[in-house]
Amino acid sequence: MKNKYDCIIVGGGIAGITAAIYLKNANKDVLLIEKGTMGGILNKISNIKNYPGFTEISGPDLAFNLYEQAKANEIEILLDTVIDIKEEKEGCKVILKDKEFETKYLILATGKEARKLGLDNEDELIGHGVSYCALCDGNFYKDKDVCVLGAGDSALLESLYLTKICKSVTILNKYPKFKGQAKMLKDLLKHDNVKILYNSLTTSLKEENGKLVGITYEQDGEEHELATSAVFVYIGSTPNILSGLDLDLDGKYLKVDENKKTNLDCIYAVGDVISKDLYQLVGAADDGMIAATEIIKRLNQE
Ligand SMILES: Cc1cc2nc3c(=O)[nH]c(=O)nc-3n(C[C@H](O)[C@H](O)[C@H](O)COP(=O)(O)OP(=O)(O)OC[C@H]3O[C@@H](n4cnc5c(N)ncnc54)[C@H](O)[C@@H]3O)c2cc1C
C-alpha cells in the first residue's frame, strides 16, 4: 500500500465503486476506503426493480456484484474508517486511526444514515424491537405483529418485504398521504395483513424486560396505544459529513457544482451525501462517473 495516491475515495457504495472503476480504467492510482460493507446501503435493501439490466435484484446481490467488479478491476480497497481530512497546499491528507495517506484528489462518497425517532429509550431498544433495516432484522419477527414508521418509498418497499414474513404490518404515516410511489402502495394493499394509520405520529416506545412491547401514537389530537413486537423506522436520513473540512452545505447535504466538485478545489462529492432532488442508484453511479471523469481530465493535464 502506497502513501500517496492520485485519488482516494471514501465510501464503497455504488457511487464510490463507480468512481473507482472509471479512475482505475484510466490507469490512475486509486484507493477506496470503506468503513463497513462494500456496496453500502445496498446491503440493507430487500428488492430493487428499477436498476437497468436487472428485472429484479436484491440489494445484497447487487452489492456483491459491485464488489466482484471492483476486485476484477484490481481496485485497491482498504476496510477502515476515515476519521478526518485535512486540506494541504496540493491535494489533501486522509487521516485514519493509525494511518495517513496523501492524495491529489479526494472523492467523498459517504452516503447517509437512517434518521432516528429521537424518543427516550430508542437507543437501548435497538436490536430489541427497534430496527432501521427490515432486510437485516425482519426474520427475528417472523409471524409477529410489527409496525413500520414512515411515509416514503423506503417505508413502502420494506413494508412489502415484511408482509411476507410477519403476521401483520401496521404502517404509521404521520402525513395524510404517502410520498412514495403509487405503484408500491397499490402492491402493498394487495396484502391483507397490512394496516395503514394516517396522520399518526409515534410518541413513545413501551418497553418490558428490555424488549419493545408497544408504542404510543397521536392521531388527530388523540393518544392511542398499540401492541407491537418491532418498529422499523424509515423516517428519512442524515448525510455522513466528515468533519475537519470547511465544505459548503445545502441544508444538511454537501453542495457540489455540475462536475461534483465541492467548494474545495481537490475535493469532490458524489451519491447520497450531496444535495439533489432524487436519491437513486443510477443517479449515484452517474455522480461517481462524472467526478471520476473530471478528475481524470485534470490529472492528464498535469
Ligand atoms: C430502504 C431503501 C430502499 C431503496 N431502494 C432503491 C431502489 O429500489 N432503487 C434505487 O434506485 N434506489 C434505491 N434506494 C436509494 C439508493 O440505494 C441510494 O441512493 C444509493 O445506494 C446511494 O449510494 P451511495 O454510494 O451514495 O451511498 P451508500 O451506499 O450509503 O455508501 C456510502 C458508504 O460510505 C461508507 N462510509 C461512510 N462514512 C465513512 C468513513 N468515514 N470512512 C469510510 N467509509 C465511510 C459507508 O459505510 C457506506 O458503505 C433505496 C434506499 C433505501 C434506504
Side-chain angles (χ1 to χ4, degrees), residues 49 60 80 88 91 106 113 126-127 154 180 200 237 241 249 276 293:
K49 289 186 176 174
D80 209 332
E88 306 273 272
L106 181 83
E113 302 267 320
I126 293 174
S154 302
S200 299
S237 350
I241 311 279
L249 298 180
K276 53 180 165 173
T293 310

Side-chain angles (χ1 to χ4, degrees), residues 10-17 33-42 44-51 80-83 109-113 153-155 157-158 184 234 237 240 242 270-273 276 279-282 284:
V10 188
I14 193 166
I17 294 176
I33 307 176
E34 166 56 51
K35 72 171 178 180
T37 312
M38 289 291 287
I41 193 73
L42 277 170
K44 297 184 175 177
I45 303 175
S46 55
N47 195 14
I48 296 155
K49 289 186 176 174
N50 59 2
Y51 192 73
D80 209 332
T81 304
V82 173
I83 52 175
T110 46
K112 49 187 182 177
E113 302 267 320
D153 277 346
S154 302
L157 178 74
E158 302 307 321
M184 273 197 218
Y234 290 99
S237 350
N240 293 317
L242 281 161
V270 296
D272 276 10
V273 73
K276 53 180 165 173
Y279 293 90
Q280 289 281 284
L281 290 157
V282 282

Side-chain angles (χ1 to χ4, degrees), residues 58-74:
S58 80
D61 282 351
L62 185 55
F64 183 73
N65 291 354
L66 285 163
Y67 174 54
E68 288 287 298
Q69 196 176 4
K71 277 201 309 183
N73 279 278
E74 295 178 358

Side-chain angles (χ1 to χ4, degrees), residues 41 44 111-117 122 126 131-133 232-240 252:
I41 193 73
K44 297 184 175 177
K112 49 187 182 177
E113 302 267 320
R115 194 190 300 152
K116 292 185 177 176
L117 294 162
E122 183 175 1
I126 293 174
S131 169
Y132 309 88
C133 176
F232 292 91
V233 183
Y234 290 99
I235 57 162
S237 350
T238 311
N240 293 317
K252 296 177 299 171

